[in-house]
Amino acid sequence: MQNFDDIRFFKDDEVNPALQEFMKHPMVKALLQFTFPDLRSEDIRAVLNECHSIADFQSKVIYLSVEKVLEKTSEGLTDAGFDNLDTSESYFYISNHRDIILDTCLINYTLHDHDLIMTASAIGDNLVQKPFLMALSKLNRNFLVLRNQSPREMLKSSLKLSEYIKHLLFSEDRSVWMAQREGRTKDGNDFTQQGVLKMVGMAKGDLDVLDYFAKLKIVPVAMSYEFDPTDMLKMPEVLAKRMKEDYKKSANEDFNSIMQGAMGQKGRIQINAGPVLTEEDFAEIRKKELSINDQLKEVATLIDQAIYRNYKLWPSNYIAYDLLKNEERFTSEYTEKEKRQFDRRISRRVDVKNPLALNSYLLMYANPVINKMSLNE
């Protein structure tokens, strides 16, 4: 078997030693105190001492951490579509990506509630540079996507990543989660990057790429937050892109986004799983006799359409669309009170005298409506 040590998560016998090493780290202590506010430190230590596998750690600690986050920062999480999946099967979940850590945590929380196989999840190594973050990610069954490499190194690591995903799905019967694109969607416009699919298809061996995708049992997942707690943090990058300027992240930007994403108010949250992509879906693409690149483009469109179809639109989305277009098209989807609240949100976050900033902020919430409408054209 290929050596995946540089990208894999912890093996079960590595879990307890890692917990013993990092339990006194200030950030880990803060996470544990947040999760167990009524327990004394020796009782928390006893909980960690009982964790001898990732499954132990996820069910005894992380599930409860996510529950606390939802309780304090949201008006509840609902889901649909997961009941149609088989609890004995592993799946390849591809979702839109809005929050660095929370997206995958909430998907696994939902899978746990439905007794489905939880995922190994891809995370960029740029997000886990601090040793305690690296340990926490490996304790949560995250595997690394290596960033900032030369083209030659990138080709090698992409092939290894592809082989690892294949190994997890078929040799370990482990579900896998991956975002549809590199990095979070900053402007609310969710689309699948062909490059992600190209990497996934590298491990196809002798199979035709569409036959391989059919074997993966791809489930498109739509993540929908009523309010993005990091919307203001995303604005500088969105504005720089629109003004065609280079954008350089500040030193702690990703870490601040992780904290704000976890602790900021999100309103309601909905996660919807679309139907598994089948051989019939890919057969339709094959009929068109396209080049490999164009086949990947069609697969990306298939995933995008499933995400748009299953995306839950909130009053905030409809209000942003009407404000952006200066229309009253969706007034039946929200109340005057909800509109006033959203207006206040805008005025607190954006310089409303700056048309580009206002337009960019509204697009962040309106793009899901525009994408959903595109399905009916």
Side-chain angles (χ1 to χ4, degrees), residues 229-293:
T230 63
D231 52 12
M232 207 161 66
L233 299 179
K234 291 174 179 176
M235 283 295 289
E237 187 172 348
V238 170
L239 285 170
K241 265 192 185 149
R242 291 194 69 180
M243 294 166 79
K244 297 189 166 47
E245 293 173 356
D246 282 339
Y247 179 77
K248 192 159 171 37
K249 281 185 183 180
S250 60
N252 285 320
E253 189 168 324
D254 285 330
F255 186 70
N256 291 338
S257 288
I258 289 170
M259 295 308 292
Q260 183 62 27
M263 299 319 299
Q265 292 300 315
K266 300 168 246 308
R268 293 166 288 184
I269 307 166
Q270 174 96 12
I271 304 179
N272 291 338
V276 183
L277 299 187
T278 63
E279 285 179 12
E280 289 73 32
D281 293 316
F282 296 113
E284 287 301 309
I285 295 172
R286 185 176 285 108
K287 279 180 197 168
K288 298 179 185 179
E289 297 184 357
L290 303 166
S291 67
I292 293 264
N293 275 344

Side-chain angles (χ1 to χ4, degrees), residues 19 50 85 91 118 150 164-165 209 266 298 308 334:
L19 288 171
E50 287 170 14
L85 301 175
Y91 295 98
M118 289 164 74
S150 70
Y164 188 52
I165 290 168
V209 72
K266 300 168 246 308
E298 292 278 324
Y308 301 156
Y334 54 85

Side-chain angles (χ1 to χ4, degrees), residues 56-71:
D56 284 347
F57 181 65
Q58 286 188 318
S59 60
K60 291 176 184 184
V61 180
I62 295 301
Y63 183 87
L64 301 174
S65 306
V66 175
E67 208 160 50
K68 272 276 185 295
V69 166
L70 288 170
E71 192 185 295

Side-chain angles (χ1 to χ4, degrees), residues 354-369:
N354 178 340
L356 188 65
L358 180 59
N359 180 279
S360 299
Y361 187 85
L362 290 174
L363 265 175
M364 214 181 266
Y365 285 91
N367 269 327
V369 181

